[in-house]
Amino acid sequence: AGDARTDQDARLAAVEDHPASGTLRAADQDGTYPRPQLLRRHWADLCGPWDFALDPADAGLDAGWWSGRAAGSGTGGDPFDQVIEVPFPPESEASGIGDTRPHAVVWYRRRVTGADLDAAGYDVQGRRLLLHLGAVDHTADVWVDGHHL
């Protein structure tokens, strides 16, 4: 039990010593954290432009769109031919898509940068991240670096 406590203390000390760390007070933060009462020391907001694709034939899974290397269905091009502004849904004009027709399958793609990982505390938290998808309408399949989660 002593070794586990020492490891935990070392991890906590690393978080406290990290340049992005500081006193956590909801009243002092800049208001961008989505739930200020539950403020985390490290987090990254992935809102903004994402690649987007409609998949009316539900072909993306078999075509390997999740791999980031697949060509479009019969076109030879990238199936992610639109850009959507997250967190807005594709039905919203604010998303940049503004398509109110029903779509059973859509795809989102975003490259996570080193800056995103740094902001999320990846190097400080034991090389682990927690990913929240806050507005999945029904069901989501998620891939990270070609691995299905």
Side-chain angles (χ1 to χ4, degrees), residues 7 10 25 33 42 53 56 59 62 80-81 83-84 92 94-95 108 122 124 140 144 147:
D7 289 344
R25 291 196 171 100
Y33 192 78
H42 302 285
D62 289 338
F80 292 87
D81 57 354
V83 174
I84 188 166
S92 168
S95 72
Y108 291 74
Y122 182 65
V124 176
V144 174
H147 299 282

Short mmCIF file of all heavy atoms in Angstrom, two decimals, residues 7 10 25 33 42 53 56 59 62 80-81 83-84 92 94-95 108 122 124 140 144 147:
data_model
loop_
_atom_site.label_atom_id
_atom_site.label_comp_id
_atom_site.label_asym_id
_atom_site.label_seq_id
_atom_site.Cartn_x
_atom_site.Cartn_y
_atom_site.Cartn_z
N ASP A 7 3.48 6.38 -5.45
CA ASP A 7 3.25 6.61 -6.88
C ASP A 7 2.19 7.69 -7.10
O ASP A 7 2.33 8.57 -7.94
CB ASP A 7 2.82 5.32 -7.58
CG ASP A 7 3.95 4.32 -7.69
OD1 ASP A 7 5.13 4.71 -7.52
OD2 ASP A 7 3.65 3.14 -7.95
N ALA A 10 3.58 11.06 -6.27
CA ALA A 10 4.48 11.52 -7.34
C ALA A 10 3.68 12.06 -8.52
O ALA A 10 4.02 13.09 -9.10
CB ALA A 10 5.40 10.39 -7.78
N ARG A 25 -9.97 27.38 -9.13
CA ARG A 25 -11.14 28.04 -8.57
C ARG A 25 -12.07 28.35 -9.73
O ARG A 25 -11.68 29.04 -10.68
CB ARG A 25 -10.75 29.32 -7.85
CG ARG A 25 -9.97 29.08 -6.59
CD ARG A 25 -9.94 30.34 -5.74
NE ARG A 25 -9.37 30.02 -4.45
CZ ARG A 25 -8.11 30.29 -4.13
NH1 ARG A 25 -7.32 30.89 -4.98
NH2 ARG A 25 -7.66 29.97 -2.93
N TYR A 33 -14.53 26.56 -19.74
CA TYR A 33 -14.72 25.18 -19.33
C TYR A 33 -16.23 24.92 -19.22
O TYR A 33 -16.96 25.71 -18.63
CB TYR A 33 -14.02 24.89 -17.99
CG TYR A 33 -13.98 23.41 -17.69
CD1 TYR A 33 -13.05 22.60 -18.32
CD2 TYR A 33 -14.89 22.82 -16.83
CE1 TYR A 33 -13.03 21.24 -18.08
CE2 TYR A 33 -14.87 21.47 -16.58
CZ TYR A 33 -13.93 20.67 -17.21
OH TYR A 33 -13.91 19.33 -16.99
N HIS A 42 -6.38 20.06 -16.39
CA HIS A 42 -5.97 19.94 -17.79
C HIS A 42 -7.17 19.50 -18.61
O HIS A 42 -7.82 18.52 -18.28
CB HIS A 42 -4.86 18.89 -17.94
CG HIS A 42 -3.67 19.19 -17.11
ND1 HIS A 42 -2.77 20.16 -17.43
CD2 HIS A 42 -3.23 18.66 -15.95
CE1 HIS A 42 -1.82 20.21 -16.52
NE2 HIS A 42 -2.09 19.31 -15.60
N ALA A 53 -18.64 14.04 -43.39
CA ALA A 53 -19.09 13.29 -44.56
C ALA A 53 -20.47 12.71 -44.30
O ALA A 53 -20.72 12.14 -43.23
CB ALA A 53 -18.12 12.16 -44.90
N PRO A 56 -24.93 8.16 -46.98
CA PRO A 56 -26.29 7.67 -47.20
C PRO A 56 -26.36 6.17 -47.49
O PRO A 56 -27.36 5.52 -47.19
CB PRO A 56 -26.79 8.48 -48.40
CG PRO A 56 -25.56 8.99 -49.07
CD PRO A 56 -24.52 9.12 -48.00
N ALA A 59 -21.70 3.05 -46.27
CA ALA A 59 -20.57 2.34 -46.86
C ALA A 59 -19.24 2.65 -46.17
O ALA A 59 -18.26 1.96 -46.40
CB ALA A 59 -20.46 2.70 -48.34
N ASP A 62 -17.26 -0.25 -44.13
CA ASP A 62 -16.62 -1.25 -45.00
C ASP A 62 -15.54 -0.64 -45.88
O ASP A 62 -14.56 -1.31 -46.22
CB ASP A 62 -17.67 -1.94 -45.88
CG ASP A 62 -18.58 -2.87 -45.08
OD1 ASP A 62 -18.17 -3.32 -43.98
OD2 ASP A 62 -19.70 -3.14 -45.55
N PHE A 80 -14.64 12.82 -46.95
CA PHE A 80 -14.85 13.94 -46.04
C PHE A 80 -14.74 15.23 -46.84
O PHE A 80 -13.76 15.95 -46.78
CB PHE A 80 -13.85 13.90 -44.90
CG PHE A 80 -14.07 12.73 -43.98
CD1 PHE A 80 -13.50 11.51 -44.24
CD2 PHE A 80 -14.86 12.87 -42.85
CE1 PHE A 80 -13.70 10.42 -43.40
CE2 PHE A 80 -15.08 11.79 -42.01
CZ PHE A 80 -14.50 10.56 -42.28
N ASP A 81 -15.81 15.51 -47.58
CA ASP A 81 -15.79 16.61 -48.54
C ASP A 81 -16.45 17.88 -48.02
O ASP A 81 -16.63 18.84 -48.76
CB ASP A 81 -16.45 16.18 -49.84
CG ASP A 81 -17.89 15.70 -49.65
OD1 ASP A 81 -18.34 15.60 -48.49
OD2 ASP A 81 -18.55 15.43 -50.67
N VAL A 83 -16.89 20.56 -44.30
CA VAL A 83 -16.36 20.94 -42.99
C VAL A 83 -17.54 21.36 -42.12
O VAL A 83 -18.39 22.14 -42.57
CB VAL A 83 -15.34 22.10 -43.11
CG1 VAL A 83 -14.90 22.58 -41.74
CG2 VAL A 83 -14.14 21.64 -43.93
N ILE A 84 -17.58 20.84 -40.91
CA ILE A 84 -18.65 21.17 -39.97
C ILE A 84 -18.04 21.88 -38.77
O ILE A 84 -16.93 21.55 -38.34
CB ILE A 84 -19.44 19.92 -39.53
CG1 ILE A 84 -20.67 20.32 -38.70
CG2 ILE A 84 -18.54 18.94 -38.78
CD1 ILE A 84 -21.66 19.17 -38.52
N SER A 92 -28.09 22.51 -38.23
CA SER A 92 -27.99 23.93 -37.88
C SER A 92 -27.20 24.70 -38.93
O SER A 92 -26.16 24.24 -39.41
CB SER A 92 -27.31 24.07 -36.52
OG SER A 92 -26.95 25.40 -36.27
N ALA A 94 -25.51 27.21 -38.20
CA ALA A 94 -24.27 27.58 -37.52
C ALA A 94 -23.18 26.53 -37.72
O ALA A 94 -22.00 26.82 -37.56
CB ALA A 94 -24.52 27.78 -36.02
N SER A 95 -23.56 25.32 -38.10
CA SER A 95 -22.58 24.25 -38.33
C SER A 95 -21.83 24.44 -39.64
O SER A 95 -20.78 23.83 -39.85
CB SER A 95 -23.27 22.88 -38.36
OG SER A 95 -24.03 22.71 -39.56
N TYR A 108 -17.58 12.21 -38.72
CA TYR A 108 -16.78 13.37 -38.32
C TYR A 108 -15.33 12.91 -38.22
O TYR A 108 -15.06 11.80 -37.78
CB TYR A 108 -17.20 13.86 -36.93
CG TYR A 108 -18.56 14.49 -36.84
CD1 TYR A 108 -19.72 13.73 -36.89
CD2 TYR A 108 -18.68 15.86 -36.65
CE1 TYR A 108 -20.97 14.31 -36.76
CE2 TYR A 108 -19.93 16.46 -36.52
CZ TYR A 108 -21.07 15.68 -36.59
OH TYR A 108 -22.30 16.25 -36.46
N TYR A 122 -1.77 15.24 -21.37
CA TYR A 122 -1.40 13.87 -21.73
C TYR A 122 -0.06 13.46 -21.12
O TYR A 122 0.07 12.36 -20.61
CB TYR A 122 -1.36 13.75 -23.25
CG TYR A 122 -1.02 12.36 -23.76
CD1 TYR A 122 -1.88 11.31 -23.52
CD2 TYR A 122 0.13 12.13 -24.49
CE1 TYR A 122 -1.59 10.04 -23.99
CE2 TYR A 122 0.42 10.87 -24.96
CZ TYR A 122 -0.44 9.83 -24.72
OH TYR A 122 -0.15 8.58 -25.19
N VAL A 124 1.30 14.61 -18.45
CA VAL A 124 1.30 14.79 -17.01
C VAL A 124 0.47 13.72 -16.31
O VAL A 124 0.72 13.37 -15.17
CB VAL A 124 0.74 16.19 -16.66
CG1 VAL A 124 0.64 16.38 -15.16
CG2 VAL A 124 1.62 17.26 -17.26
N ALA A 140 -22.63 6.24 -31.41
CA ALA A 140 -21.37 6.64 -32.05
C ALA A 140 -20.38 5.50 -31.99
O ALA A 140 -20.27 4.82 -30.98
CB ALA A 140 -20.78 7.86 -31.35
N VAL A 144 -9.60 5.96 -32.76
CA VAL A 144 -8.45 6.80 -32.49
C VAL A 144 -7.25 6.09 -33.10
O VAL A 144 -6.96 4.94 -32.76
CB VAL A 144 -8.24 7.03 -30.98
CG1 VAL A 144 -6.95 7.77 -30.73
CG2 VAL A 144 -9.42 7.78 -30.38
N HIS A 147 -7.88 2.63 -34.26
CA HIS A 147 -8.33 1.65 -33.27
C HIS A 147 -9.75 1.97 -32.83
O HIS A 147 -10.01 3.09 -32.37
CB HIS A 147 -7.40 1.63 -32.05
CG HIS A 147 -6.00 1.26 -32.39
ND1 HIS A 147 -5.61 -0.03 -32.62
CD2 HIS A 147 -4.90 2.03 -32.55
CE1 HIS A 147 -4.34 -0.06 -32.90
NE2 HIS A 147 -3.87 1.19 -32.89
#
